[in-house]
Amino acid sequence: MNGLEAEALAAALVEQGYVGIVLARLAKQASEVLGTERSSILVRDREDRRLTIVAASNGLDDEMVGSRVPHRAERLESVGDAAASFRWGGAVRGALCVRSTVPKRRFTTRELDVLTTLGAVTGAAVRHAQAGNGPTREVGRIGQFAEMLSERDPYTAEHSDGLVEMACAVARSLDVEPAELAELRLAAPLHDLGKIRVPSSVLLKPGPLNARERAVINHHPVWGAELLACVPGVEVVASIVRFHHERWDGSGYPDGLTGERIPLSSRIIAVCDAYHAMTSDRPYRRAISAAQALGELRANAGTQFDPRIVDALETAVAQPASLVA
């Protein structure tokens, strides 16, 4: 996918009204990643700073959205509850809150760190909305990112179209909702965006990486997410990119998420990217056959990959007509 195609895709999201549901999508994503039944995004009332407004929610009554609640969002934290506040201009502006209905549920330090990360992305979305930084003027940045990635990592750009087609075919077979399919369509070609920050000496090294170099390149999902979070309207896509190297068994990076706490789109990208990489020629090795690649995926289903997605990919590969984005 080149820059113009990426820009057109981002523009299509704007035209389809996707931006209007970004906060709701972020709330849902937080519930899934933290494994909670409820979540909400609270924004400080500009007229009465003692109140916060429920800007979006997941698992709560829809009538709550838009209502004002009389407690300080940044201090919500007790058994079963946790919150990550976001601020700018030296003041707390709101918080991303999650709530579990499981008795005596307590959040681990790692879970709270993940919540903080998601809270920062949510804060960026709220700030963009309040500042009037509409996505219509910003979608060109997506195209610029795609061009930069193409220059730094030609292989990724060359094979992005095939990856998008494959990922979308898998997503459709799993009956994902339209909003999630739209996010996946944008995240798939940009999942390695963070590699534009990786030094060429590491990115283009022909031999094995040492421990320091591996640590640098393993940071690329974080860098990619940070870049995308700066673009109004695609904040959910930023988190999908951040989590695409997580593993089903929790041994992935950067946050060690497990199972279905990894966003579905991130899991789809992980499986399809691995298949596409194995079946493509690289400078240092020849491609293997589709059958061999599927065998490798099956061997790692339940550890590295979501078994359900491996099954869906195998079905899609057996039905070439389905591989149409």
Side-chain angles (χ1 to χ4, degrees):
M1 176 177 291
N2 60 38
L4 291 177
E5 291 170 333
E7 183 175 340
L9 184 54
L13 286 182
V14 175
E15 294 172 0
Q16 294 166 10
Y18 172 80
V19 173
I21 63 169
V22 165
L23 292 184
R25 295 291 298 160
L26 286 168
K28 181 178 181 181
Q29 188 180 70
S31 286
E32 293 173 346
V33 171
L34 274 300
T36 64
E37 297 76 28
R38 301 172 183 172
S39 63
S40 57
I41 297 173
L42 305 179
V43 179
R44 181 62 48 80
D45 190 331
R46 293 180 177 181
E47 298 179 358
D48 187 342
R49 295 182 61 81
R50 297 170 299 178
L51 302 177
T52 54
I53 301 170
V54 180
S57 68
N58 181 69
L60 299 176
D61 191 329
D62 290 342
E63 294 181 358
M64 286 289 294
V65 177
S67 63
R68 288 169 169 78
V69 290
H71 63 268
R72 295 177 64 83
E74 69 273 20
R75 291 184 179 175
L76 176 64
E77 189 164 338
S78 61
V79 176
D81 295 323
S85 62
F86 44 83
R87 63 175 65 221
W88 61 85
V92 172
R93 307 292 179 168
L96 172 63
C97 310
V98 293
R99 170 171 292 182
S100 174
T101 59
V102 176
K104 298 184 179 180
R105 162 73 188 275
R106 290 189 179 276
F107 296 91
T108 66
T109 299
R110 174 170 281 188
E111 287 176 324
L112 293 175
D113 287 343
V114 172
L115 179 60
T116 298
T117 296
L118 296 176
V121 175
T122 301
V126 172
R127 185 175 186 179
H128 292 153
Q130 291 190 348
N133 294 332
T136 303
R137 294 177 299 172
E138 300 286 343
V139 293
R141 296 173 68 182
I142 295 293
Q144 293 171 3
F145 287 155
E147 292 292 351
M148 293 168 68
L149 179 58
S150 177
E151 292 175 2
R152 290 302 313 281
D153 189 3
Y155 167 82
T156 296
E158 180 183 350
H159 295 282
S160 65
D161 287 343
L163 175 61
V164 171
E165 292 175 0
M166 190 172 295
C168 288
V170 169
R172 285 192 294 266
S173 73
L174 297 175
D175 295 323
V176 304
E177 56 188 293
E180 189 154 14
L181 184 61
E183 292 158 0
L184 175 62
R185 192 182 294 273
L186 191 55
L190 295 172
H191 69 280
D192 277 336
L193 175 61
K195 287 183 177 179
I196 67 176
R197 289 188 176 178
V198 176
S200 296
S201 60
V202 175
L203 186 64
L204 304 178
K205 185 176 179 179
L209 301 178
N210 61 36
R212 183 191 62 80
E213 293 166 337
R214 175 54 59 185
V216 170
I217 205 162
N218 282 2
H219 203 69
H220 80 269
V222 175
W223 286 327
E226 289 174 350
L227 289 168
L228 288 170
C230 295
V231 183
V234 298
E235 293 86 359
V236 182
V237 175
S239 296
I240 293 171
V241 166
R242 179 184 179 94
F243 299 130
H244 79 274
H245 272 295
E246 301 291 349
R247 294 170 58 113
W248 186 254
D249 63 3
S251 64
Y253 58 89
D255 298 297
L257 301 184
T258 61
E260 294 188 356
R261 289 196 180 186
I262 306 167
L264 178 60
S265 291
S266 302
R267 285 178 268 148
I268 291 174
I269 290 172
V271 172
C272 294
D273 189 41
Y275 175 84
H276 213 275
M278 287 187 285
T279 56
S280 301
D281 287 330
R282 302 299 295 270
Y284 50 86
R285 61 150 176 81
R286 298 289 297 173
I288 63 176
S289 69
Q292 290 174 306
L294 290 172
E296 287 292 321
L297 292 175
R298 285 194 295 270
N300 289 281
T303 52
Q304 183 173 356
F305 304 116
D306 180 345
R308 185 169 63 119
I309 294 175
V310 172
D311 290 342
L313 176 62
E314 188 167 10
T315 299
V317 171
Q319 301 171 348
S322 68
L323 300 178
V324 178

